[in-house]
Amino acid sequence: GVTGSGKTEVYLQTIEHAIGSRAEGGGAIVLVPEIALTPQLADRFRARFGEQVAVLHSGLTPRQRLDAWDQIRTGERSIVIGPRSALFAPLKDLRVIVVDEEHDPSFKQEEGVRYSARDLALVRAKASAAVVILGSATPSLESYALAREGRHVYLRLLTRPTPRPLPEVELLSLAVHRPDPETMLSAKLRAAVLECVEGGDQAILFLNRRGYTASMTCMECGKLQACPDCSAPSMTYHLERNRLMCHLCGHIADSPRACLSCGAEALVHGRGGTERIEVALAQALPGLRILRLDRDTSRGRKLLDVLRRFRNREADVLVGTQMLSKGHDFPGVTLVGIVQGDHALGLPDPRAAERTFALLTQVAGRAGRGEKAGRVIIQAWSINHPALVHAQQHDFDAFAEEELRAREELHNPPSGYLALLRVSGRNSDAVRSRIHKLAERCRAVVSHHRAAGDEGFDEGVQILGPVASPIERINQRTRWQLLLRGRSRSPLRQVLHALRPLLGSEGRGAGETRAAVDVDPQSFG
């Protein structure tokens, strides 16, 4: 269903119908992609179901988690709301599982025991004879393809329940409408923000990059101030803490007065983040009430406080990252400004276009959910990219069909299946040696099955790599990877089965390496 079309009401009525009265029993699980959404959704469910609702997430204390777990197990609470781990709640007589914003990559657990909560929801529901609802305004292409093939039932909400239509979306070329270097807003977007606020409404400004600036560069030697433990180009500068921070490993360093490489006192800031927009906008437009929503301002109770204050109209503008895109309902918002809409298109990820389209559509959907019509302005360099063009037109079907054709040519999901084999360790030579041995083993297995004429192995399995990971070193550990791509599950599974005894830790001390496989990977960095 399109943004604001009432998907949550569908969930509520379905669960109400499925679980019946308390006497009849029955249970339901509602999965959300972010803890940030849990309180908002829990309030709506408690208004309908009262004390039947339990909340499970990592923000609870161990005592709170234990109490909730016991109440669920004994049947005192029959509806569970939470992020992906809530899927394992010990509900009796499970009847409904809802996966809200099912396209969101955060449903994939990428460390430790790897699993997709969306896929596992289907497995658990099948075992319990329950119903699964996958809800989204921008379904994952895997789910969309299954629905198109008739393996999922495809139900659509095409309009909003309010008389207001979907917001009008305008694409602004950054090549033509040059942004202010401080606020990062073009003159047109800045004027739109002023007009919106002067009219008594609220605006959202979205940039999926937190911090004050993403880099600091030395004007003498040209070196970026990089993390000593990672190979990412630069650390992020945070003005409020006056620190450089690595968003990969968590390394924190004092803000340098001089270049860490040559010692010259000639450091300049690079591309801005949400903190810079907040500061610059407050200086450029005095009197404007501004709040910021990102990982730095919204930990624990601060998150609920920011959301409450903005919903209560204690601020005119909310500046934030992708946390803004996840289902929040702000009736006072009539303008959404996306500062750089094509930010993620250059990432080494086969889902880059899909995620860009989803993010733009979801953020744009925060506008015009109240009585007044909404407006969206997207600043971007690549304004002719299909992800942006179709997002402007609110046309998911057209984007999906075009993207599916591109995936088919490369045999990428959902036209194929992927498995990422990654080796990491502190000794780069040991890492490279091990990944090459694993690659040789993969090729030997594929050659054996092809020689035997086994089905699916003629041209069905590709071995890409090994190569260094896009970010080769994180937290002092070098990372190399091998990508396996198959037209069907079976041959890919046989290759992985042959690799299984070779995975895990190997070696000792500084030469120790770890090898792990991620099936259906969501991240390639």
Side-chain angles (χ1 to χ4, degrees):
V2 297
T3 53
S5 58
K7 293 184 287 296
T8 304
E9 182 62 27
V10 173
Y11 307 155
L12 289 163
Q13 292 194 28
T14 301
I15 291 172
E16 190 173 30
H17 174 77
I19 69 176
S21 66
R22 296 288 307 267
E24 294 176 3
I29 295 174
V30 182
L31 300 181
V32 294
E34 288 273 355
I35 294 177
L37 290 180
T38 309
Q40 176 183 316
L41 202 61
D43 289 344
R44 292 193 62 177
F45 272 76
R46 287 193 179 107
R48 187 74 61 94
F49 298 107
E51 294 305 311
Q52 295 186 63
V53 179
V55 173
L56 284 177
H57 57 71
S58 60
L60 302 177
T61 65
R63 181 75 239 181
Q64 289 172 326
R65 288 178 67 85
L66 179 60
D67 289 345
W69 196 264
D70 284 339
Q71 291 168 347
I72 296 165
R73 183 176 52 81
T74 59
E76 188 178 344
R77 301 279 192 267
S78 57
I79 300 171
V80 179
I81 299 176
R84 59 182 179 243
S85 59
L87 180 64
F88 302 105
L91 274 171
K92 296 181 178 180
D93 190 17
L94 180 62
R95 297 186 182 180
V96 178
I97 302 177
V98 173
V99 185
D100 192 27
E101 310 294 357
E102 66 88 27
H103 66 278
D104 199 286
S106 64
F107 282 121
K108 178 68 182 288
Q109 170 72 35
E110 295 186 316
E111 297 295 333
V113 179
R114 292 168 172 81
Y115 69 93
S116 165
R118 179 190 68 205
D119 296 347
L120 204 55
L122 300 175
V123 175
R124 183 171 183 188
K126 184 177 181 180
S128 306
V131 171
V132 178
I133 300 177
L134 305 178
S136 177
T138 54
S140 64
L141 292 188
E142 288 88 343
S143 295
Y144 176 76
L146 290 171
R148 197 174 60 169
E149 294 167 8
R151 295 171 62 185
H152 292 343
V153 177
Y154 194 17
L155 305 175
R156 306 184 69 184
L157 297 170
L158 299 176
T159 58
R160 291 180 166 182
T162 63
R164 294 297 175 190
L166 290 169
E168 174 189 341
V169 180
E170 181 179 1
L171 291 176
L172 283 186
S173 170
L174 288 172
V176 177
H177 300 269
R178 294 289 185 175
D180 174 71
E182 295 299 319
T183 65
M184 301 176 66
L185 307 186
S186 62
K188 192 165 189 176
L189 180 52
R190 173 175 164 157
V193 170
L194 281 174
E195 181 184 349
C196 170
V197 173
E198 289 171 355
D201 299 318
Q202 294 175 294
I204 283 176
L205 294 176
F206 168 80
L207 176 64
N208 203 19
R209 186 168 59 237
R210 63 188 174 101
Y212 187 76
T213 51
S215 64
M216 293 180 73
T217 308
C218 176
M219 295 299 288
E220 290 292 328
C221 69
K223 293 289 183 64
L224 294 168
Q225 309 309 291
C227 173
D229 299 330
C230 302
S231 59
S234 177
M235 288 190 285
T236 300
Y237 175 66
H238 291 256
L239 178 66
E240 187 175 1
R241 300 178 65 179
N242 193 28
R243 294 288 187 273
L244 285 175
M245 296 179 62
C246 176
H247 291 172
L248 294 172
C249 73
H251 179 85
I252 299 176
D254 290 335
S255 177
R257 291 180 174 272
C259 175
L260 300 176
S261 296
C262 71
E265 296 186 6
L267 295 177
V268 295
H269 290 282
R271 297 174 302 165
T274 49
E275 188 180 20
R276 184 169 187 169
I277 294 177
E278 178 192 27
V279 172
L281 205 58
Q283 293 174 346
L285 303 172
L288 200 67
R289 299 175 301 168
I290 305 171
L291 286 173
R292 177 160 51 94
L293 185 69
D294 55 29
R295 296 291 181 197
D296 301 319
T297 64
S298 308
R299 299 182 186 277
R301 300 297 302 178
K302 289 182 179 180
L303 167 66
L304 301 180
D305 184 56
V306 170
L307 294 174
R308 176 190 57 79
R309 290 173 62 192
F310 192 64
R311 196 170 285 115
N312 292 341
R313 296 187 177 236
E314 295 177 28
D316 306 308
V317 177
L318 181 62
V319 180
T321 59
Q322 64 180 357
M323 295 178 73
L324 291 172
S325 69
K326 301 181 186 294
H328 299 296
D329 192 6
F330 303 118
V333 172
T334 59
L335 173 69
V336 168
I338 298 175
V339 176
Q340 189 174 347
D342 51 359
H343 171 65
L345 285 177
L347 296 177
D349 187 334
R351 295 184 178 89
E354 178 184 358
R355 289 183 177 162
T356 296
F357 174 86
L359 196 57
L360 296 181
T361 301
Q362 296 286 344
V363 175
R366 301 312 106 202
R369 297 170 77 99
E371 296 180 357
K372 294 185 179 181
R375 180 187 181 192
V376 180
I377 296 176
I378 301 176
Q379 298 182 161
W381 296 98
S382 306
I383 61 170
N384 295 318
H385 192 282
L388 276 70
V389 171
H390 293 309
Q392 179 189 25
Q393 300 165 351
H394 304 286
D395 195 343
F396 170 77
D397 287 332
F399 169 77
E401 294 300 329
E402 186 168 345
E403 183 68 10
L404 284 172
R405 285 193 294 270
R407 301 276 184 93
E408 173 67 29
E409 291 179 8
L410 296 174
H411 309 320
N412 278 332
S415 298
Y417 302 93
L418 300 176
L420 186 69
L421 172 62
R422 177 171 283 149
V423 175
S424 66
R426 293 182 180 274
N427 186 300
S428 57
D429 291 335
V431 170
R432 285 195 294 270
S433 175
R434 189 173 182 193
I435 192 69
H436 279 91
K437 288 179 182 177
L438 291 172
E440 290 173 8
R441 176 62 176 155
C442 289
R443 293 190 175 95
V445 172
V446 172
S447 297
H448 170 76
H449 283 285
R450 282 179 180 168
D454 291 340
E455 184 178 355
F457 280 91
D458 48 354
E459 296 179 357
V461 177
Q462 291 179 291
I463 301 172
L464 307 176
V467 295
S469 298
I471 302 175
E472 185 174 355
R473 193 166 58 99
I474 294 180
N475 199 16
Q476 299 183 4
R477 296 184 68 87
T478 298
R479 306 151 75 242
W480 275 61
Q481 62 193 40
L482 186 73
L483 186 65
L484 306 177
R485 183 161 56 195
R487 294 304 304 271
S488 60
R489 289 275 190 199
S490 179
L492 202 58
R493 189 178 295 120
Q494 292 182 62
V495 176
L496 295 179
H497 182 74
L499 284 180
R500 192 172 181 180
L502 307 177
L503 302 178
S505 296
E506 183 177 280
R508 291 184 179 183
E512 180 258 356
T513 59
R514 298 175 200 158
V517 167
D518 187 5
V519 177
D520 300 328
Q522 295 293 312
S523 173
F524 296 82

